[in-house]
Amino acid sequence: MSCALALDSLKLASFKGVGERTLDRLDKLGLHSVQDLLFHLPIRYEDRTFLTPLGRLRPGDHALVEGRVELAEIPPKGRRSLVCRIADGTGFLYLRFFHFTADQLSRLNPGTWLRCYGEARDGYYGVEMVHPDYQHIAETESGHIDKSLTPVYPLTEGLHQKTLRKLVDGALDSCTGDKLVDWIPVEHLEAMGFPPLYEALRLLHKPPAGVGLDSLRQAQQRLAFEELLAHHLSLSRFRERMRKQAAPLLRLPEAQSKQFRKTLPFDLTGAQQRVIEEIAADLARLKPMMRLVQGDVGSGKTVVAAWAALAALASDCQVAVMAPTELLAEQHYRSFSQWLEPLGVQLAYLASKHKGQVRRETLEAIAEGRAGAVLGTHALFQEQVKFQRLGLVVIDEQHRFGVHQRLALREKGMQDGLYPHQLIMTATPIPRTLAMLGYADLDVSIIDELPPGRTPVKTSVIPATRRPELIDRIAEWVKGERQVYWVCTLIEESEVLECEAAQNTATALAQALPGVRVELVHGRMKPAEKEAVMASFKAGAVDLLVATTVIEVGVDVPNAGLMVIENPERLGLAQLHQLRGRVGRGPGESHCVLMYQPPLSAGAKERLGILRETSDGFIIAEKDLELRGPGEFLGVRQTGQVQFRIADLSRDGGMLDRVKCVAENLLRDHPDHVEPLLRRWLADSGRYAEV
Ligand code: ADP
Ligand code: MG
């Protein structure tokens, strides 16, 4: 075990010849230790295991060649370049460099031997290679070439393949098999046909010539399996710890629950009732609830949270309801007031705009427990906010907050050894595979039914050439006293440009639509400005809202029934579905127009077609995962919920059952293997510290 520790703590800084600048660049790739290097797998390979005689080189070949320099010069004509001719007796080849140094030129003396790898193409003088990878060799070294394929690694700017290859070589040499312990018992490895860890890594970094794709895949799966195993184990440990924590008993007497339902202006859907029961069971368990309520936009998550809040209040506890923006917090405050005030509940709204006296009084009411339900943004969890007895924390739109923030809240709410319960609401559907991995530390409830009476959003897909038609349609729509969203997305991944584009669009639309009140929101506006615009849109003082993709999640403007999304082909399905969820929230028909830039690729056509055909967020999330891969799955990267180095759930998700099995076995029969396994895979993720 001491060897394994040495490996992940063996820093690259201690490698000979690795300078400060290289370390910085490695850092950008998340590579700090020898072990990080080993887990940094190639994206593809080049075959440099055989030499192609120059006479047989054809344009289009990727080939390794050798030859003697015949001439090297900077031709006086054309774009400045260094041209060098080599020959090997069977033919000759021109090498051409547009970027080069004087030193480079001076070392290409006639008679010198070179070995080059690159793509051959038709050049001005004959077959040539532009910017080949080359090295000087002695004539006696000719023919002594690599026996393994050459790995091509993911890079960052300023870092060269050669540097990385050399480092990985060094890493492989510095750790013989006994340093990379196989924490997975060998009988499991054998049952799955997996090679030992060291063998798998060697194979992936230096596959022998002629290696089969199957063996490579097997080796990769070997690593992915271990990574998934580590995540699974860390999760079980976290849950284990939570099971030992205590939480207050929260119970809502049946009579009060009935009364609550009676004050609502609608009947709860079956799905809402089911989720309420799931929550009720959690709250009665004396263990902190960690439940995620996931429901499509408009499925009515807020009222479920209100029920849970009432249960806390009925049990003499306070509840904190946190939303990602002031606007949403205010919206919740209004809903909660409407539903809970008739039942005698004291609410408080802690807005950042409230200062001085008002703020002091609110803080006092919270500290003394007079305010039972407290609503606000993350400001709720600042130092000065003290609760008398916090029993439940509700967090809306989970993906805006990171795991760490969320866990910090639990600690803050801890009182007399009791942890508050947590209820998290999100509209982001979690694909089955992610849910199977336990979606971090949460239990999941799903509201899979929309309230009755909603008219489904009609989705159409049109080319941008039909923009004038669309503008006429908007004019009609606004005449009918209804409001419109226009969402701009941009090809370049730059927020600045996206905002600029939205600005231009807003100006153009205002010109094309005289009499229509056009406003703009984008990500570079101050939060207060943004909220002011959203608020006036909500109040009906704006007809057409031009926005970048930052439109606030969860904002409810039932009168806005038409949404135009520009360049939808640039967004993921899940994101488009989220955007579309802003419309179709009120009576009357609603439309979503996806206006693409022609021509549309076959893949994009298929993706947009899915949106036209279904409004089921779960189907869409599954498809999105299938088409994009889970690495890009909405928000997952940012929140750090599930981040893998090697595993890919769309590819390796099938192994999860087996992972569970091996995890159980390990915990039972080899508990001493768990710690080093977690350290190996999670030491850097921050998650490890929480475990
Ligand atoms: P989301 O799940 O997107 O947060 P909300 O909780 O904001 O959805 O609910 C959307 C709208 O539907 C609100 O206006 C809410 O009052 C209403 N609503 C919630 N549940 C029902 C129901 N069972 N029947 C009718 N309307 C409902
Ligand atoms: Mg909501």
Side-chain angles (χ1 to χ4, degrees):
M1 185 169 148
S2 58
C3 299
L5 279 180
L7 201 59
D8 56 31
S9 58
L10 188 53
K11 296 293 170 217
L12 293 174
S14 65
F15 262 43
K16 259 196 239 111
V18 181
E20 205 59 44
R21 285 225 316 255
T22 306
L23 281 176
D24 275 353
R25 287 163 186 162
L26 290 167
D27 183 69
K28 279 207 186 107
L29 289 171
L31 307 178
H32 313 287
S33 67
V34 170
Q35 184 182 283
D36 293 338
L37 268 184
L38 294 176
F39 289 163
H40 190 65
L41 299 186
I43 34 176
R44 61 186 174 84
Y45 303 96
E46 288 169 356
D47 194 347
R48 306 186 184 187
T49 60
F50 62 92
L51 277 174
T52 304
L54 292 177
R56 276 212 245 128
L57 201 55
R58 296 283 166 267
D61 289 350
H62 290 262
L64 184 78
V65 297
E66 285 179 356
R68 194 194 294 272
V69 174
E70 290 191 338
L71 65 90
E73 60 180 25
I74 303 172
K77 279 199 199 141
R79 183 173 163 198
R80 186 180 143 84
S81 62
L82 162 60
V83 172
C84 168
R85 189 172 74 206
I86 60 170
D88 68 351
T90 70
F92 57 83
L93 170 71
Y94 286 91
L95 313 178
R96 188 194 279 272
F97 303 86
F98 293 106
H99 311 282
F100 56 93
T101 60
D103 177 55
Q104 224 176 332
L105 174 57
S106 71
R107 292 191 59 206
L108 293 172
N109 292 320
T112 324
W113 275 81
L114 297 183
R115 179 179 298 155
C116 316
Y117 180 86
E119 183 184 357
R121 60 176 217 188
D122 252 334
Y124 182 70
Y125 306 102
V127 181
E128 68 175 17
M129 280 185 187
V130 176
H131 285 273
D133 209 4
Y134 78 95
Q135 67 189 102
H136 291 264
I137 55 170
E139 185 170 359
T140 50
E141 286 174 311
S142 172
H144 293 270
I145 55 175
D146 286 345
K147 291 188 178 59
S148 51
L149 301 183
T150 306
V152 179
Y153 294 101
L155 289 179
T156 185
E157 206 175 322
L159 193 65
H160 295 290
Q161 288 293 351
K162 265 187 206 157
T163 315
L164 208 49
R165 279 176 200 145
K166 228 165 80 195
L167 285 170
V168 172
D169 268 358
L172 278 171
D173 288 343
S174 76
C175 74
T176 43
D178 60 329
K179 282 201 189 161
L180 270 174
V181 182
D182 271 298
W183 300 115
I184 304 178
V186 66
E187 63 269 23
H188 289 294
L189 290 179
E190 278 172 3
M192 293 179 282
F194 286 152
L197 180 60
Y198 183 70
E199 225 172 81
L201 286 169
R202 245 205 121 75
L203 188 76
L204 288 165
H205 287 293
K206 302 180 84 90
V211 69
L213 204 58
D214 278 355
S215 339
L216 287 175
R217 201 166 283 148
Q218 197 75 343
Q220 185 193 43
Q221 290 231 310
R222 158 73 181 77
L223 297 173
F225 184 89
E226 186 171 320
E227 182 171 32
L228 291 172
L229 180 66
H231 277 260
H232 187 87
L233 284 166
S234 112
L235 226 60
S236 349
R237 272 192 18 176
F238 184 72
R239 281 170 182 260
E240 192 58 36
R241 208 186 74 179
M242 292 229 313
R243 267 196 283 275
K244 296 201 185 105
Q245 294 173 346
L249 172 83
L250 306 183
R251 218 176 60 80
L252 186 61
E254 189 49 37
Q256 281 189 51
S257 184
K258 269 210 181 104
Q259 210 187 350
F260 170 72
R261 281 161 214 237
K262 258 204 245 146
T263 57
L264 293 179
F266 46 73
D267 292 331
L268 293 175
T269 62
Q272 282 169 325
Q273 294 188 41
R274 194 192 66 239
V275 172
I276 284 176
E277 273 159 35
E278 286 165 2
I279 293 170
D282 283 355
L283 296 180
R285 224 168 256 146
L286 296 171
K287 303 275 169 220
M289 167 174 77
M290 292 287 264
R291 186 167 287 278
L292 180 78
V293 171
Q294 175 204 320
D296 222 340
V297 278
S299 60
K301 295 182 286 292
T302 320
V303 71
V304 169
W307 184 93
L310 197 58
L313 295 162
S315 315
D316 281 331
C317 280
Q318 287 170 296
V319 48
V321 182
M322 182 163 89
T325 65
E326 294 276 346
L327 191 74
L328 278 174
E330 225 173 280
Q331 188 174 294
H332 284 335
Y333 179 65
R334 252 177 271 131
S335 308
F336 272 61
S337 305
Q338 191 192 338
W339 299 329
L340 299 182
E341 260 171 3
L343 305 173
V345 170
Q346 286 280 348
L347 295 122
Y349 176 49
L350 193 74
S352 54
K353 64 181 175 215
H354 294 162
K355 301 257 148 58
Q357 179 76 4
V358 181
R359 188 177 175 79
R360 245 191 333 273
E361 276 169 17
T362 311
L363 287 176
E364 246 172 55
I366 298 171
E368 288 166 11
R370 276 180 285 121
V374 186
L375 297 94
T377 60
H378 53 275
L380 275 188
F381 294 91
Q382 282 162 358
E383 245 353 271
Q384 320 92 306
V385 189
K386 297 242 165 13
F387 289 86
Q388 196 211 18
R389 188 160 183 252
L390 186 60
L392 171 69
V393 176
V394 175
I395 304 176
D396 194 14
E397 304 297 356
Q398 130 96 358
H399 59 274
R400 291 283 192 98
F401 303 100
V403 189
H404 303 270
Q405 247 174 321
R406 200 156 50 66
L407 292 171
L409 296 189
R410 302 182 69 245
E411 301 305 320
K412 169 152 181 137
M414 216 261 290
Q415 257 160 352
D416 305 329
L418 295 183
Y419 283 85
H421 297 277
Q422 255 191 33
L423 183 65
I424 292 144
M425 301 186 284
T426 180
T428 310
I430 298 149
R432 206 182 47 239
T433 33
L434 286 187
M436 265 174 78
L437 201 71
Y439 194 48
D441 48 329
L442 302 164
D443 293 312
V444 181
S445 285
I446 299 173
I447 306 186
D448 51 3
E449 182 185 351
L450 288 182
R454 297 273 165 83
T455 43
V457 182
K458 285 194 193 117
T459 301
S460 44
V461 182
I462 66 165
T465 44
R466 286 174 58 190
R467 193 183 177 105
E469 232 174 280
L470 186 60
I471 288 182
D472 290 344
R473 197 162 144 202
I474 291 175
E476 282 302 307
W477 189 266
V478 172
K479 255 194 217 138
E481 310 253 295
R482 297 202 58 192
Q483 293 160 281
V484 187
Y485 292 103
W486 183 295
V487 183
C488 300
T489 64
L490 207 67
I491 293 139
E492 288 82 20
E493 288 186 338
S494 144
E495 203 186 30
V496 181
L497 289 175
E498 191 176 72
C499 296
E500 241 177 63
Q503 234 141 18
N504 296 339
T505 304
T507 313
L509 286 172
Q511 265 167 13
L513 291 160
V516 170
R517 294 165 298 175
V518 180
E519 281 287 350
L520 172 70
V521 275
H522 61 66
R524 288 169 62 80
M525 285 161 69
K526 293 205 184 74
E529 290 170 355
K530 236 171 18 187
E531 300 222 348
V533 174
M534 288 305 295
S536 60
F537 185 60
K538 201 170 168 172
V542 171
D543 302 309
L544 171 59
L545 184 69
V546 177
T548 55
T549 46
V550 303
I551 309 188
E552 299 309 324
V553 279
V555 168
D556 207 16
V557 185
N559 192 43
L562 172 60
M563 172 176 282
V564 179
I565 304 178
E566 269 193 277
N567 306 324
E569 66 274 22
R570 292 279 149 199
L571 298 183
L573 284 183
Q575 199 180 358
L576 286 168
H577 176 66
Q578 292 276 310
L579 285 169
R580 180 172 64 175
R582 305 286 144 261
V583 294
R585 303 188 139 226
E589 56 180 285
S590 45
H591 298 268
C592 178
V593 180
L594 303 175
M595 189 170 69
Y596 63 87
Q597 209 59 50
L600 199 57
S601 73
K605 203 176 213 159
E606 186 192 339
R607 285 169 1 105
L608 297 182
I610 291 165
L611 276 180
R612 197 170 45 200
E613 275 150 33
T614 180
S615 56
D616 183 324
F618 293 88
I619 296 179
I620 291 170
E622 292 284 338
K623 290 274 183 200
D624 201 37
L625 187 66
E626 223 175 274
L627 297 171
R628 279 158 62 98
E632 287 177 81
F633 173 72
L634 229 199
V636 167
R637 270 278 141 86
Q638 294 103 305
T639 61
Q641 281 285 10
V642 182
Q643 209 180 87
F644 300 113
R645 298 194 211 186
I646 292 168
D648 172 342
L649 286 174
S650 64
R651 185 190 64 207
D652 308 320
M655 297 194 292
L656 285 173
D657 282 334
R658 191 87 202 207
V659 165
K660 244 184 212 166
C661 247
V662 174
E664 277 159 27
N665 179 280
L666 219 56
L667 285 169
R668 194 181 54 234
D669 300 340
H670 307 275
D672 54 321
H673 289 199
V674 174
E675 182 72 28
L677 194 67
L678 291 185
R679 193 184 296 277
R680 176 180 289 166
W681 290 95
L682 303 174
D684 262 356
S685 72
R687 177 103 64 93
Y688 183 75
E690 286 154 16
V691 174

